Amino acid sequence: MPEGPSILILKELVQQFKHKTVAEATCNNKSLDASLLVDKRIIDFKSWGKHFLICFPKFTVRIHMMMFGTYRINTHTAKPPRLGLRFTDDTELNFYACQLQLITEPLDKAYDWQADIMSDHWSSRKAIKKMKADPDLLVCDALMDQHIFSGVGNIIKNEALFNARIHPESLVSALPPKKLTEMINEAVKYSFQFLEQKQAGTLKKNWKAYHKKECPRNHVPIIRKDTGKSHRTSFYCEVCQKLYK
DNA sequence: GGTCTTGTTCAGGA
DNA sequence: ATCCTGAACAAGAC
């Protein structure tokens, strides 16, 4: 479910609930007092990277799908939802296996919109500035850092690095400026391709490195390795993805 | 049926 | 204090 583009799809699908009033709310753990939502009206849905935000007049409910989160619209599963919302017209919206958090401060204070890679407010310049603050930063960790590239997950990381021909263990500080810009541009570009391909049901078949056996450019084996401080798996071609160090 | 994983936080040890 | 590791959580795909 996660990665930024999937949250944009969710946001699109729930537009039907905008301006509706919650008639009944349940939460199957202690992370949120669901009674706070009853009789409250949803004024908007927003997102920040992988965060999905349900905005009420005086607070926002933050939903993070983590690895396995799911949702059901106007239906439900056998298990009680982490967050279940029923509206006054008997429609329903249910979230499972997700992390909930109540945000009471203004959203502009809680979020740096310029860090959201798929937002209109995205700023490459600011991302570069953040990356330059750490001279030992590897590109694989930089792309996975939600404060720098909010919305990027392991799939986007691997595909963007493949497209930019950059080895995941390259040092950000060793990349020529044009190459760093190229990496960022590929991350943004692939994020929007991810969105289109996911909607078309063609996401997996378009992967060039992620979970692939061989490089589509030269047919040498794709390397699979635990990389960086984040210890997330990278998939890359040793031949066409250059290691900058 | 076992393994893997589109993610993050936190406790505890070095 | 700081860095690092493993645990915890949770569920569908293969």
Side-chain angles (χ1 to χ4, degrees):
Chain A
M1 165 73 232
E3 301 218 22
S6 300
I7 300 303
L8 291 189
I9 291 171
L10 165 61
K11 194 161 69 174
E12 188 64 35
L13 291 173
V14 298
Q15 285 306 308
Q16 58 182 294
F17 299 107
K18 200 163 160 176
H19 307 310
K20 284 191 182 180
T21 299
V22 175
E24 194 181 310
T26 59
C27 175
N28 74 345
N29 73 2
K30 289 187 154 186
S31 62
L32 181 75
D33 176 6
S35 69
L36 288 171
L37 314 186
V38 176
D39 294 333
K40 303 296 192 302
R41 191 165 184 249
I42 293 175
I43 53 172
D44 205 359
F45 293 105
K46 295 185 184 209
S47 62
W48 180 80
K50 300 166 187 173
H51 294 200
F52 176 63
L53 306 167
I54 306 177
C55 307
F56 293 92
K58 290 180 180 169
F59 55 81
T60 297
V61 175
R62 188 194 98 173
I63 299 181
H64 196 306
M65 296 297 193
M66 307 302 282
M67 291 267 248
F68 316 118
T70 55
Y71 56 87
R72 292 290 187 280
I73 292 169
N74 291 329
T75 182
H76 49 266
T77 68
K79 289 188 178 180
R82 174 60 40 83
L83 177 64
L85 301 178
R86 192 176 60 75
F87 299 91
T88 45
D89 59 358
D90 245 6
T91 54
E92 59 178 308
L93 176 57
N94 300 295
F95 297 92
Y96 305 85
C98 56
Q99 189 185 80
L100 303 177
Q101 194 176 310
L102 191 71
I103 300 176
T104 51
E105 66 180 333
L107 286 185
D108 287 344
K109 202 170 175 181
Y111 290 110
D112 173 9
W113 305 105
Q114 290 183 296
D116 182 352
I117 195 156
M118 300 186 75
S119 162
D120 293 337
H121 304 289
W122 163 253
S123 165
S124 297
R125 187 186 52 76
K126 202 163 173 182
I128 290 170
K129 200 173 167 184
K130 288 173 187 167
M131 288 190 280
K132 293 238 165 107
D134 179 0
D136 301 320
L137 185 64
L138 301 183
V139 295
C140 59
D141 287 326
L143 284 168
M144 293 295 278
D145 187 330
Q146 299 302 297
H147 298 293
I148 307 175
F149 294 99
S150 175
V152 171
N154 210 22
I155 297 173
I156 296 172
K157 174 195 84 180
N158 282 296
E159 292 296 300
L161 289 175
F162 179 83
N163 290 337
R165 301 184 187 235
I166 298 170
H167 189 295
E169 293 176 309
S170 293
L171 271 173
V172 172
S173 57
L175 291 183
K178 275 180 79 174
K179 202 68 193 172
L180 182 57
T181 305
E182 186 184 346
M183 180 185 88
I184 295 169
N185 290 345
E186 288 297 342
V188 174
K189 190 169 89 184
Y190 182 72
S191 295
F192 285 97
Q193 288 173 346
F194 182 125
L195 173 60
E196 284 178 22
Q197 291 169 9
K198 177 117 183 160
Q199 286 170 322
T202 58
L203 183 66
K204 276 190 189 185
K205 79 169 192 189
N206 282 296
W207 286 338
K208 296 180 202 147
Y210 184 74
H211 276 285
K212 299 303 282 189
K213 284 271 181 287
E214 64 175 45
C215 174
R217 294 190 183 113
N218 50 36
H219 306 292
V220 303
I222 287 283
I223 307 296
R224 174 192 182 123
K225 186 183 175 190
D226 181 300
T227 53
K229 288 185 180 175
S230 55
H231 291 288
R232 298 300 300 277
T233 306
S234 286
F235 298 84
Y236 58 95
C237 172
E238 280 182 319
V239 175
C240 64
Q241 289 178 251
K242 184 174 170 182
L243 178 61
Y244 296 84
K245 58 177 185 178

